[in-house]
Amino acid sequence: MKLKHFFLFVALLLGAATVQAQTKPIAKEPAEGEMKTYYMAFLKKGPNRGHDSLTAAKIQEAHMAHINKMAADGKLTLAGPFLDDGDLRGIFIFNVRTMEEAKALTEADPAVKAGRLVMELHPWYAQKGAKLQ
């Protein structure tokens, strides 16, 4: 009798798992090899880096807020600093339709406006939906 209950329990679990799998929305994955144009910005040291520490900290805070907003809006796929303290300070990878839109987003960055950073933009072709792990 216990074996009968075990098989009934297994059958119920499998049935529940099947129903759950059927009701979950299926996320559309990009087709293998499907490519997309992104826009990569190289952030470089700008000509105006002589700000006092308080002003530099405020500019950095506004720069980070701008990054977070672009990410929340789905326009920024990836961003981060380089760790070697060279002239090349970081990168942005934009998920936008045009180079002009990427340019407008970089020009709106408070660190660019203040001259602490300059951006060099390039179109970049990569597999759609690729993520770093």
Side-chain angles (χ1 to χ4, degrees):
M1 185 127 164
K2 288 183 182 181
L3 191 57
K4 181 179 174 182
H5 289 290
F6 173 75
F7 285 121
L8 179 60
F9 177 71
V10 170
L12 287 172
L13 280 178
L14 289 173
T18 301
V19 169
Q20 184 179 9
Q22 290 173 351
T23 59
K24 278 187 177 180
I26 297 172
K28 183 180 182 275
E29 291 290 324
E32 188 171 332
E34 186 177 356
M35 301 296 282
K36 176 183 180 357
T37 300
Y38 296 89
Y39 297 92
M40 184 178 288
F42 290 97
L43 290 71
K44 299 177 176 181
K45 282 184 179 178
N48 189 8
R49 297 190 63 84
H51 300 96
D52 63 77
S53 61
L54 181 60
T55 302
K58 286 181 181 180
I59 293 168
Q60 181 65 18
E61 184 179 329
H63 170 68
M64 294 304 297
H66 182 66
I67 289 171
N68 290 329
K69 177 163 182 4
M70 291 187 297
D73 291 345
K75 295 180 185 239
L76 187 64
T77 297
L78 186 68
F82 290 108
L83 301 176
D84 58 2
D85 200 33
D87 287 340
L88 194 56
R89 306 304 294 160
I91 60 168
F92 288 166
I93 298 177
F94 292 106
N95 183 11
V96 295
R97 292 189 182 268
T98 65
M99 178 78 92
E100 291 75 22
E101 187 176 359
K103 185 174 187 260
L105 290 168
T106 62
E107 289 173 348
D109 188 288
V112 172
K113 286 181 174 181
R116 288 191 66 78
L117 295 174
V118 294
M119 304 247 189
E120 180 182 312
L121 279 169
H122 297 274
W124 182 56
Y125 206 50
Q127 185 169 349
K128 189 174 184 178
K131 294 185 171 52
L132 294 176
Q133 303 239 352

